[in-house]
């Protein structure tokens, strides 16, 4: 059971297959973990692509079903996760890679491209999450109930007050478009992207496109 460690951060990961590196980010929001594949979510992507790619997947830091752990970096929540992903690639000696992300993987891919555009060769965002103007606190409410309490039970150093601050920083204060980057940044992206949109509360269709809403053009 391999781990990548950096200071207080400990990331559980697995890899399978051979070929060009493919970083896989499971769905499940802040509970994104390797076990997601076993539930049938994302069509067991690690098995599907192992004959063509070197597939790398990790439990998200502090995902309750996973084995990864680390501090809650309240002032830089998205960048902390990106640090874990880029650090894992460095640990494995991988410079350039493809990335496929489900759900929370959408905002994470945008942040990877913002942070390391020269390393992400191409990306696929599958049913990516984003903000709905009419439901700005959706992700806060989902995680304050479905992620925070279980993490506090596991970690005596984490309190619900810290969870509140973390989720407010990660979601509520960034409740626009895809959370991690602006519309203008997305419009400037040169990295090839494949987007498989959805249209449920957490995966709004309108957040898949670069333009402001308009009745005459795609949203």
């Amino acid at each position: 059971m391999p781990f990548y460690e950096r200071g207080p951060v400990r990331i559980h990961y697995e890899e399978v297959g051979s070929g060009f590196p493919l970083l896989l980010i499971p769905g499940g929001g802040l509970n994104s973990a390797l076990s997601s594949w076993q539930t049938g979510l994302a069509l067991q992507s690690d098995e599907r692509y192992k004959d063509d790619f070197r597939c790398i997947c990790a439990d998200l830091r502090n995902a309750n079903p996973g084995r990864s752990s680390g501090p809650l970096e309240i002032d830089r929540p998205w960048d902390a996760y990106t640090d874990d992903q880029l650090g894992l690639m460095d640990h494995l000696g991988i410079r350039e890679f493809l990335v496929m992300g489900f759900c929370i993987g959408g905002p994470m891919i945008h942040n990877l491209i913002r942070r390391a555009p020269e390393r992400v060769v191409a990306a696929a965002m599958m049913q990516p999450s984003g903000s709905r103007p009419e439901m700005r606190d959706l992700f806060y409410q989902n995680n304050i109930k479905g992620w925070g309490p279980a993490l506090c039970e596991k970690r005596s150093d984490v309190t619900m007050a810290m969870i509140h601050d973390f989720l407010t920083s990660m979601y509520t204060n960034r409740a626009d478009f895809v959370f991690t980057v602006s519309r203008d940044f997305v419009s400037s992206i040169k990295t090839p992207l494949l987007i498989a949109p959805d249209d449920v509360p957490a995966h709004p269709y309108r957040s898949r496109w670069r333009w402001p809403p308009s009745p005459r053009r795609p949203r």
Side-chain angles (χ1 to χ4, degrees):
M1 184 184 301
F3 285 87
Y4 154 62
E5 298 188 48
R6 186 187 74 255
V9 177
R10 193 167 189 256
I11 302 299
H12 169 235
Y13 72 93
E14 292 182 5
E15 55 179 320
V16 64
S18 60
F20 196 83
L22 170 62
L23 174 63
L24 292 164
I25 305 173
L30 294 178
N31 282 320
S32 166
L34 286 155
S35 59
S36 296
W37 301 145
Q38 278 68 59
T39 67
L41 183 65
L43 305 178
Q44 296 183 336
S45 294
D46 52 347
E47 291 297 318
R48 179 175 291 265
Y49 297 114
K50 69 179 182 179
D51 292 336
D52 300 301
F53 300 101
R54 179 186 178 185
C55 299
I56 299 109
C57 185
D59 295 331
L60 204 66
R61 185 196 300 198
N62 299 325
N64 288 307
R67 299 182 178 91
S68 296
S69 61
L72 291 181
E73 298 192 35
I74 292 169
D75 294 334
R76 52 189 307 276
W78 292 103
D79 278 332
Y81 291 120
T82 302
D83 288 348
D84 297 343
Q85 290 156 352
L86 293 176
L88 175 58
M89 295 294 102
D90 291 341
H91 172 73
L92 296 174
I94 295 170
R95 178 63 181 169
E96 295 183 335
F97 55 93
L98 304 167
V99 57
M100 175 183 286
F102 298 78
C103 182
I104 196 172
M108 288 182 167
I109 286 171
H110 280 114
N111 210 41
L112 280 166
I113 293 172
R114 181 184 68 84
R115 291 270 306 271
E118 74 287 354
R119 299 184 67 175
V120 180
V121 174
M125 293 184 284
M126 319 303 286
Q127 300 86 47
S129 59
S131 178
R132 286 181 180 271
E134 71 276 17
M135 303 175 74
R136 294 185 73 252
D137 67 341
L138 174 67
F139 290 91
Y140 176 92
Q141 294 298 336
N142 286 348
N143 287 289
I144 202 72
K145 301 171 185 174
W147 173 72
L151 182 61
C152 288
E153 287 184 11
K154 291 168 58 177
R155 294 268 301 272
S156 60
D157 61 319
V158 176
T159 67
M160 285 303 296
M162 295 168 62
I163 295 292
H164 164 80
D165 291 344
F166 182 81
L167 294 176
T168 299
S169 175
M170 185 169 187
Y171 287 117
T172 311
N173 290 347
R174 301 169 187 260
D176 179 62
F177 199 42
V178 296
F179 299 112
T180 51
V181 296
S182 68
R183 290 173 173 81
D184 287 342
F185 176 83
V186 176
S187 295
S188 72
I189 290 175
K190 305 299 183 185
T191 306
L193 299 177
L194 170 68
I195 304 174
D198 196 3
D199 198 14
V200 298
H203 309 154
Y205 184 79
R206 67 188 298 175
S207 291
R208 301 309 100 224
W209 305 101
R210 304 176 182 186
W211 307 283
S214 166
R216 295 180 177 269
R217 65 203 307 182
R219 295 183 295 171

